[in-house]
Amino acid sequence: RNSYDAADVSCLMDNTIILESDWALAYLLARRGQDIRISDLVQVKKDGRDSVCSALKELEEAGCIIRRQVIDKKGRFDGVEYNFVNRTE
């Protein structure tokens, strides 16, 4: 069964975002709802961790994604969650 999610792709059309960040956004949009680690992105892109982190930071600064630290039930750091922002609203 196929399921399709409506996604705001306006960030992909944003001329202020460099191509390096577009690929990261497209990759994340294609895998919505899945747990993805930065190491997964590094493996796919092979440009290195700094390049991936830079792309995610640019997407966050452009208002395409929101970064949130996840804390477990014991109050310990449990990772980072990125959520998409619908810029058309």
Side-chain angles (χ1 to χ4, degrees):
R1 178 178 158 205
N2 289 330
S3 74
Y4 296 94
D5 231 349
D8 177 18
V9 293
S10 65
C11 285
L12 293 173
M13 307 309 274
D14 187 335
N15 291 334
T16 64
I17 298 174
I18 61 171
L19 191 57
E20 285 300 312
S21 298
D22 280 349
W23 77 264
L25 181 62
Y27 184 89
L28 293 172
L29 283 169
R31 287 156 183 80
R32 285 174 72 158
Q34 298 178 19
D35 286 339
I36 300 169
R37 301 189 183 283
I38 289 178
S39 59
D40 297 333
L41 295 169
V42 170
Q43 238 178 5
V44 169
K45 189 62 174 153
K46 301 191 188 309
D47 277 352
R49 183 178 176 81
D50 289 345
S51 176
V52 168
C53 290
S54 204
L56 292 172
K57 182 177 180 182
E58 183 178 18
L59 291 172
E60 184 178 4
E61 289 173 353
C64 298
I65 60 175
I66 296 173
R67 180 180 186 269
R68 183 180 75 86
Q69 289 188 355
V70 179
I71 306 299
D72 69 12
K73 292 179 182 178
K74 294 182 179 179
R76 296 179 298 200
F77 176 77
D78 194 32
V80 175
E81 178 179 283
Y82 291 94
N83 293 301
F84 297 101
V85 175
N86 188 345
R87 297 188 337 167
T88 59
E89 292 181 346

